[in-house]
Amino acid sequence: MYDSRGGEAQADLVERHAPLVKRIAHHLMARLPSSVVLDDLIQSGMIGLLEAARKYDPSKGASFETYAGIRIRGAIIDEVRKGDWTPRSVHRNSRRVAECIQTIEARTGRDAHDAEVAEEMGVSLEEYHSLLKDSSSSRLFSFDEMRESTDTSAGEEVASEDAPPDELQEDQAFQRALAEAIAGLPEREQLVFALYYDEELNLKEIGQVLGVSESRVSQIHSQAALRLRARLESWR
């Protein structure tokens, strides 16, 4: 473990990057149910920041902010994963959506449309959109988890630490598969992902960019995540 800094230097890193914890917590909170307490996410994120300050190795090539962001997100996602706030029915419906998307795309050879998925499921389009809204906060499939996992093992091996070679190779293969799957998403879904994850806009801001409601952005994000789940089924 790398730890050449004294406690004072680490404390300075934590103090200067504390606002990053709040920003990431608020960003993730946008798609979580009201039962999740923001202060709990911030507390978990601070633990991730402290861990980052303790383990950061600048020789690996990434900036501290990049490394800390990965650790903070990972700590918050772990906290959310521990909770059991998602009803089983939401898990079941999320699986059904992913399975129907996979069936349609295997049959047609193209992206599945909202109306087609609704018909395949035997529900109305309105009911389908309601299912997407429910699944937006489901931890059954979390793109955030997948992104944190691939970020952790990528980029100059910043956080891979002592992972065995076969595990690193598998991570790299998954990263390529995930990148290809994202590149194959419908254009609007790619844009929502880019604005949310890369530009770090919230759902309301993305809605303003696209000229749609915040709830519609949530639906698009959820459908994109479930579409990725269907296309990456072999990796689960």
Side-chain angles (χ1 to χ4, degrees):
M1 178 174 54
Y2 180 91
D3 189 9
S4 63
R5 270 174 307 281
E8 185 176 343
Q10 290 183 33
D12 181 62
L13 277 177
V14 171
E15 182 179 355
R16 285 191 288 114
H17 290 85
L20 180 62
V21 174
K22 290 186 177 181
R23 179 160 61 83
I24 291 174
H26 278 280
H27 191 241
L28 295 177
M29 187 75 183
R31 292 188 297 105
L32 296 174
S34 57
S35 57
V36 178
V37 179
L38 178 62
D39 285 347
D40 290 343
L41 302 188
I42 292 174
Q43 183 177 6
S44 298
M46 286 301 299
I47 293 173
L49 177 58
L50 288 167
E51 187 75 359
R54 189 170 65 88
K55 291 188 172 182
Y56 176 60
D57 182 349
S59 70
K60 296 294 186 179
S63 68
F64 178 76
E65 183 170 354
T66 297
Y67 179 71
I70 293 170
R71 289 285 182 177
I72 292 165
R73 282 188 180 87
I76 292 176
I77 289 167
D78 283 344
E79 175 65 25
V80 173
R81 192 189 293 123
K82 290 175 186 174
D84 192 22
W85 39 260
T86 305
R88 291 184 179 180
S89 60
V90 173
H91 293 312
R92 287 196 300 269
N93 288 332
S94 295
R95 283 196 297 270
R96 284 183 63 208
V97 171
E99 288 166 0
C100 287
I101 289 174
Q102 187 177 42
T103 298
I104 294 167
E105 294 187 344
R107 185 171 63 228
T108 64
R110 57 166 174 75
D111 298 330
H113 300 151
D114 290 33
E116 292 175 316
V117 182
E119 183 178 358
E120 186 79 19
M121 295 183 71
V123 300
S124 69
L125 188 59
E126 183 179 356
E127 288 173 314
Y128 174 61
H129 285 161
S130 179
L131 292 176
L132 288 180
K133 180 180 178 181
D134 290 340
S135 72
S136 67
S137 57
S138 170
R139 58 186 170 87
L140 176 67
F141 173 86
S142 170
F143 180 74
D144 293 290
E145 290 183 39
M146 295 174 65
R147 183 173 183 267
E148 187 270 335
S149 176
T150 56
D151 280 349
T152 298
S153 59
E156 307 297 336
E157 299 182 1
V158 172
S160 60
E161 296 177 346
D162 297 322
D166 57 340
E167 185 176 315
L168 288 176
Q169 289 179 355
E170 184 176 354
D171 285 345
Q172 290 166 359
F174 175 74
Q175 291 164 33
R176 290 192 294 270
L178 177 59
E180 290 173 3
I182 293 173
L185 289 174
E187 184 177 353
R188 177 164 282 202
E189 293 178 11
Q190 286 190 54
L191 179 57
V192 167
F193 265 25
L195 293 174
Y196 185 81
Y197 293 103
D198 297 333
E199 301 301 325
E200 298 192 344
L201 301 184
N202 60 39
L203 301 186
K204 183 177 181 180
E205 290 168 335
I206 295 172
Q208 292 171 346
V209 171
L210 299 182
V212 299
S213 67
E214 183 175 346
S215 63
R216 180 55 184 155
V217 174
S218 179
Q219 290 169 7
I220 294 170
H221 183 284
S222 298
Q223 182 162 276
L226 291 169
R227 196 187 302 277
L228 284 178
R229 174 186 171 165
R231 295 179 180 181
L232 296 168
E233 183 65 26
S234 62
W235 289 93
R236 298 185 67 245

